[in-house]
Amino acid sequence: MLSRIAESLFWIGRYVERADDTARILDVQTQLVLEDPTSDESATCRTVLSIMGAEAPDDEELDVARLFDLLAHDLSSPESIAACLQAARESARRARETLSEPLWVAINTTYLTIDSGAFRAMRRDRGLRWVRDQAALVNGTADATMTRDEGWQFFVLGRTLERADMTARLLASAALSPGHAWTTTLRACGAHEAFLRARRGLETDREVVEFLLLDRLFPGAVAYAVTSAERCLANLDSTSYRAESEGEARRILGRARSELEYRSVSDLLDDLPGAMDRFQRSCAAATDAITRHFFAGSEALAWHGTRQ
Amino acid sequence: MTTAVDWAPDHGAAAYDEMHDGSGVRPEYHALRASLDALDGSDLRTRIDTLAASYLDQGVTFDIGGEERAFPIDILPRIIAADDWRRIELGVQQRVRALEAFLADAYGLGQVFADGVVPRSAVVSSGAFHREAAGIVPVNGVRCHVAGIDLIRDEHGRFLVLEDNVRVPSGVSYVMTNRRAIGSVLPEAMSAHRIRPVAGYPQALLAALRAAAPAGVTDPTVVVLTPGVHNSAYFEHALLARTMGVELVEGRDLECRRGRVLMRSTRGLEPVHVIYRRVDDEFLDPVQFRADSMLGCPGLVNAARAGNVTLANAIGNGIADDKLIYTYVPDLIRYYLAEEPVLPNVDTWRLGEDAAREEVLDRLDELVLKPVDGSGGKGIVIGPAATPAELDRLRAEIHRRPRAWIAQPVVSLSTVPTYADGAMRPRHVDLRPFAVNDGERVWVLPGGLTRVALPEGELIVNSSRGGGSKDTWVLAGRIRPATADRTPATTAVTSPVTPSPQVAGPALRDLSGRQGQQEQQQQSRTGETPC
């Protein structure tokens, strides 16, 4: 598979996942603001922006409407849902001949809804549900129509890496927020009901962190997502002829996962923001390694010409 | 009969109406007309809206100046009767064979110049003549793996060749997507006909490309080379690559080493043997052509000359579809094939010839002037529609560079009813059939792209000028009159067919009474001059 196409598929997976997660986070956070009259709306909005790694505008009272603009609709802010879905569509357009027709149509119609202004015109909760529905449509269509070849591995690799990274962000910010908004965090991960069933309703810091970090059966959990990413890399490496940097990304992710698994939960809880920060750095390092190993060719524009 | 469809024929027009003759609907359109008349108004509206929306959703688009637009498709298909098609098919095959022979000769021994059929100066003065192409001998002799020959139908119903495209002809993707789209919005109409399928194009193309692989390569790797996502035909490049199951590469994905072409993959560098390139000659190889081009790959031409990679279509083909050479094609057919042209050219003046130039300069305001190397309708001046100032500028330009222009009479392109402003109104169309040459035979896709000029009276149909398209149905059998028995018509494709008389309409109308006579005529050999 062409390096350039592999890279496109990897980023389609990431962008769609990021849009999905952003919609969940926005949904939960705006509900919280509405339901809790004592909360500081501006401060909450700033927290949400920092989770997403977005720049908060200086000297401005933020409200939910402004937050929505920045994280949902604003095409000029790269963290917004609209920007992610537009980027996913642009990647898909470049990899179009390798995508199945239904997958392309799912991605393209999603983008067209944004482009036409219909997404912005939706009521907020309706809009967020639409984003989650579209992400499910894209993922489900990919699941049902893509051959499990290299392209699929890159698509899933992008999606699972992004998911692990997003869950880690949420845990770090929850640990910092007053009163540890664990229910919020669970809901933002789409994990609340799964958690209640798995842990029989015992909602404590320890239980929640353990579930979201280490659960091996829930797809939104960090360990689950990282394991999936490692499996994709294993499948890709087994078909690779290259030796020089074989498995670097796998090594980075394996080490990061082990660090979570072998430390005691109390230990992790004591230093959750630090641990999550290290984990996110590992995700970034793994992405770099993947880019160097598989996508390097797509950027190199060296002049070899016809000389030896 | 009152129906929802408002048929608004323009009886005053001089053009040939493909659906209606003076007295009614032509036989090949009977079933289509009946099924459309059976629709109620809101149903028709819904279908037209669905059609437009489906092209947007699927991203069936082309790019103008960085803006992506849905390719407009009209709901009413254009129908071509089997006999007419047979003639088009023979004419296109003949033309492609002659152009192949000419290219091989012009880049080889040059016998055609020595024999005085075409002046050598007409070729070497062409902007598309590339000395770099000399010495590249295609393995299976094919230079035009794909050709698109533009046809128009004049006021008498004759098909005439308007121009040849043997460089990178585009539009075949719309032939395939139009068929699918119309099938979903007019299923009743489609099932009332026996239409020859167009879905086989990618496989035919792939077979031809594989057949062109370098000697000794038994399982060649074929790729499609695109200039990238901002090219106006990117949709087509992606569709062809996807439906052939091959990689769509950009120049930056390729690398030439030791005269071989490799592509950058996740497993390292992999060899490439056949490149269906959709990049113009000038941008293909910065070593040989424009040094600033990032669209191609340095070293491609030498790899092709070394016989390690096949470029399809070949470099330098532009001399064969130069509009000045076009004027010689009937002679080339006689010279190389010893046949008379099945499809005539539009009358054309060569402005390099003094007498012709004098006449044209006198009559600028009645003629169409075309730059010889223009494509996409670029630079065309339609005399009757031009201002005196434009004509003065044109006159000066012709004096300066007579070689750069040809002149043709204004041919009134035929019309097909087209949905516009709430009614079916006559709009001018042309037709681009596509031919694929695998070295054994020239295969013509039964269909082709019908482009339609959407503004009223407009004669230029290019999509860059607001043109749209129609699905083009080539019928599998001859039309029987509506009163005849309902047994399936015989397939005319397998038997040789006489070119129908120049006015197709009356001939078809008279079929009911002259069926036997007509069939007898079908038995005689084709190959006569049609008119």
Side-chain angles (χ1 to χ4, degrees):
Chain A
M1 159 165 277
L2 285 178
S3 301
R4 183 172 52 81
I5 300 296
E7 188 169 21
S8 286
L9 283 163
F10 177 76
W11 283 101
I12 295 168
R14 287 201 84 142
Y15 283 126
V16 171
E17 179 66 25
R18 192 176 293 180
D20 190 10
D21 293 341
T22 307
R24 286 178 204 287
I25 290 166
L26 270 178
D27 191 19
V28 170
Q29 294 292 343
T30 50
Q31 271 189 45
L32 272 183
V33 172
L34 286 177
E35 288 167 10
D36 179 2
T38 65
S39 75
D40 178 346
E41 187 169 340
S42 185
T44 309
C45 292
R46 279 182 193 279
T47 310
V48 177
L49 283 174
S50 78
I51 300 174
M52 304 307 299
E55 290 276 321
D58 295 331
D59 312 327
E60 191 184 332
E61 271 297 288
L62 294 177
D63 58 8
V64 171
R66 182 85 178 104
L67 182 69
F68 250 80
D69 202 42
L70 289 169
L71 285 186
H73 301 307
D74 189 353
L75 276 172
S76 64
S77 105
E79 297 82 13
S80 75
I81 291 169
C84 285
L85 292 176
Q86 185 185 41
R89 191 264 186 171
E90 203 48 35
S91 294
R93 202 170 158 223
R94 285 161 198 276
R96 185 161 169 180
E97 76 289 355
T98 56
L99 299 182
S100 69
E101 177 78 21
L103 178 57
W104 158 253
V105 171
I107 295 172
N108 192 42
T109 50
T110 305
Y111 159 77
L112 290 173
T113 307
I114 288 167
D115 193 47
S116 68
F119 171 50
R120 191 184 274 273
M122 290 177 200
R123 249 185 21 251
R124 279 183 209 148
D125 65 325
R126 165 86 191 82
L128 296 178
R129 198 173 69 228
W130 174 80
V131 173
R132 296 201 305 269
D133 287 351
Q134 293 310 109
L137 178 66
V138 169
N139 286 328
T141 306
D143 195 26
T145 60
M146 278 178 78
T147 312
R148 270 32 176 189
D149 61 2
E150 275 185 283
W152 168 257
Q153 304 295 346
F154 281 110
F155 177 75
V156 176
L157 181 60
R159 183 170 77 198
T160 50
L161 262 186
E162 182 68 25
R163 187 173 290 168
D165 186 70
M166 276 293 205
T167 306
R169 276 167 201 254
L170 273 164
L171 281 168
S173 70
L176 288 173
S177 66
H180 291 193
W182 294 121
T183 314
T184 317
T185 311
L186 282 169
R187 279 165 55 199
C189 294
H192 196 213
E193 283 158 23
F195 170 80
L196 290 177
R197 254 197 308 283
R199 301 290 161 127
R200 298 172 189 272
L202 286 174
E203 204 170 312
T204 65
D205 296 5
R206 191 189 167 82
E207 296 282 339
V208 173
V209 170
E210 197 172 53
F211 185 77
L212 285 182
L213 270 186
L214 302 175
D215 196 90
R216 288 172 185 280
L217 298 180
F218 182 69
V222 172
Y224 184 101
V226 174
T227 309
S228 307
E230 288 177 86
R231 197 177 311 123
C232 291
L233 285 168
N235 292 340
L236 289 167
D237 276 342
S238 67
T239 58
S240 169
Y241 311 143
R242 294 178 177 180
E244 68 267 31
S245 55
E246 173 99 43
E248 194 189 337
R250 257 169 96 188
R251 209 162 48 236
I252 294 169
L253 288 179
R255 193 195 296 137
R257 181 173 48 79
S258 307
E259 197 184 317
L260 298 179
E261 285 173 342
Y262 286 93
R263 286 174 73 179
S264 73
V265 177
S266 339
D267 192 17
L268 282 170
L269 262 176
D270 285 345
D271 175 33
L272 197 53
M276 292 302 95
D277 189 52
R278 281 194 296 280
F279 179 79
Q280 285 181 56
R281 283 175 204 279
S282 297
C283 286
T287 304
D288 281 349
I290 290 165
T291 304
R292 274 198 311 279
H293 184 69
F294 295 106
F295 311 147
S298 65
E299 287 160 15
L301 270 168
W303 177 289
H304 289 276
T306 49
R307 292 164 292 167
Q308 283 290 81
Chain B
M1 176 177 177
T2 56
T3 67
V5 185
D6 178 10
W7 299 94
D10 178 1
H11 292 294
Y16 180 88
D17 184 323
E18 303 216 0
M19 185 168 185
H20 305 93
D21 56 25
S23 53
V25 178
R26 297 181 197 275
E28 62 266 39
Y29 281 92
H30 275 165
L32 177 62
R33 172 73 185 252
S35 64
L36 278 169
D37 283 345
L39 301 179
D40 73 38
S42 68
D43 194 1
L44 179 69
R45 253 306 350 144
T46 310
R47 292 175 191 224
I48 288 169
D49 293 345
T50 307
L51 185 62
S54 78
Y55 265 29
L56 208 54
D57 288 352
Q58 291 174 49
V60 182
T61 56
F62 67 103
D63 223 270
I64 296 182
E67 188 196 338
E68 223 186 318
R69 296 194 201 165
F71 192 67
I73 170 177
D74 181 61
I75 191 160
L76 192 96
R78 181 226 203 129
I79 297 179
I80 299 179
D83 295 356
D84 280 341
W85 181 257
R86 178 66 184 147
R87 183 169 179 66
I88 290 171
E89 187 178 28
L90 288 171
V92 168
Q93 286 169 332
Q94 181 188 53
R95 206 146 170 118
V96 172
R97 281 187 288 129
L99 292 173
E100 287 278 18
F102 171 68
L103 280 167
D105 195 2
Y107 283 114
L109 294 174
Q111 199 62 43
V112 68
F113 308 128
D115 289 341
V117 181
V118 175
R120 189 186 292 271
S121 63
V123 167
V124 295
S125 62
S126 166
F129 176 73
H130 293 308
R131 244 168 259 288
E132 296 84 345
I136 301 182
V137 182
V139 172
N140 62 346
V142 178
R143 284 181 168 83
C144 307
H145 305 81
V146 178
I149 309 294
D150 286 350
L151 306 178
I152 58 170
R153 207 164 191 186
D154 69 5
E155 49 271 40
H156 308 294
R158 292 182 311 171
F159 282 99
L160 310 176
V161 178
L162 189 62
E163 64 180 63
D164 304 289
N165 296 281
V166 291
R167 281 178 269 190
V168 282
S170 63
V172 75
S173 55
Y174 304 121
V175 176
M176 291 180 281
T177 51
N178 285 359
R179 179 63 50 83
R180 265 177 62 189
I182 294 297
S184 64
V185 296
L186 290 180
E188 312 91 336
M190 197 175 273
S191 62
H193 296 82
R194 290 178 60 226
I195 306 164
R196 295 180 61 192
V198 293
Y201 182 85
Q203 276 58 51
L205 175 60
L206 183 61
L209 294 172
R210 289 177 65 95
V217 180
T218 49
D219 186 18
T221 298
V222 176
V223 300
V224 177
L225 174 63
T226 174
V229 72
H230 295 299
N231 185 268
S232 61
Y234 181 75
F235 165 77
E236 172 152 312
H237 307 160
L239 181 123
L240 288 175
R242 194 177 73 236
T243 51
M244 289 195 290
V246 305
E247 304 282 1
L248 179 64
V249 305
E250 296 178 13
R252 58 188 162 132
D253 298 319
L254 297 179
E255 187 172 319
C256 294
R257 285 188 182 176
R258 300 190 180 100
R260 291 177 193 280
V261 181
L262 305 162
M263 62 178 168
R264 297 175 219 276
S265 82
T266 52
R267 302 177 186 196
L269 294 168
E270 291 179 23
V272 171
H273 304 108
V274 181
I275 301 177
Y276 181 45
R277 50 94 172 208
R278 300 294 300 255
V279 173
D280 289 337
D281 286 358
E282 292 74 23
F283 298 92
L284 206 50
D285 184 346
V287 175
Q288 303 285 345
F289 302 109
R290 291 178 57 146
D292 60 341
S293 171
M294 300 291 280
L295 301 178
C297 173
L300 270 189
V301 171
N302 281 343
R305 183 172 290 121
N308 293 327
V309 73
T310 303
L311 295 174
N313 288 351
I315 293 173
N317 276 10
I319 58 167
D321 63 16
D322 180 291
K323 290 192 181 66
L324 178 59
I325 298 301
Y326 158 88
T327 64
Y328 292 99
V329 175
D331 294 335
L332 295 177
I333 291 171
R334 295 183 192 101
Y335 176 69
Y336 288 114
L337 310 178
E339 295 171 8
E340 278 300 310
V342 175
L343 295 169
N345 274 11
V346 174
D347 294 335
T348 307
W349 286 270
R350 297 169 191 148
L351 301 190
E353 293 169 8
D354 294 342
R357 189 170 60 250
E358 288 310 309
E359 186 186 350
V360 168
L361 288 173
D362 280 348
R363 299 173 51 195
L364 271 189
D365 57 346
E366 349 170 344
L367 301 176
V368 181
L369 276 292
K370 298 181 178 176
V372 292
D373 53 358
S375 64
K378 240 180 289 171
I380 291 183
V381 180
I382 297 181
T387 63
E390 281 172 328
L391 291 181
D392 284 343
R393 231 175 302 135
L394 180 63
R395 187 169 286 117
E397 184 58 30
I398 290 171
H399 276 300
R400 203 165 64 79
R401 292 168 57 219
R403 165 68 176 84
W405 295 87
I406 56 162
Q408 292 174 340
V410 178
V411 181
S412 192
L413 275 56
S414 62
T415 64
V416 177
T418 299
Y419 186 79
D421 310 327
M424 293 293 180
R425 301 173 190 279
R427 290 291 183 264
H428 295 292
V429 295
D430 76 350
L431 175 66
R432 175 177 291 182
F434 291 89
V436 173
N437 187 358
D438 65 7
E440 299 281 321
R441 72 181 187 128
V442 178
W443 174 76
V444 183
L445 174 70
L449 180 65
T450 291
R451 295 181 298 181
V452 51
L454 296 174
E456 187 175 359
E458 173 71 56
L459 286 170
I460 297 181
V461 295
N462 300 89
S463 48
S464 48
R465 298 276 291 256
S469 74
K470 283 175 170 292
D471 189 15
T472 307
W473 294 357
V474 171
L475 299 184
R478 274 181 291 109
I479 302 298
R480 301 198 179 240
T483 50
D485 64 290
R486 281 289 172 198
T487 51
T490 50
T491 306
V493 191
T494 49
S495 60
V497 174
T498 312
S500 52
Q502 54 171 325
V503 184
L508 287 165
R509 253 202 326 284
D510 291 345
L511 269 181
S512 52
R514 290 172 36 207
Q515 190 80 44
Q517 191 189 346
Q518 192 84 5
E519 273 169 4
Q520 278 176 0
Q521 283 182 12
Q522 312 279 339
Q523 303 306 317
S524 64
R525 277 304 305 177
T526 179
E528 305 298 314
T529 321
C531 42

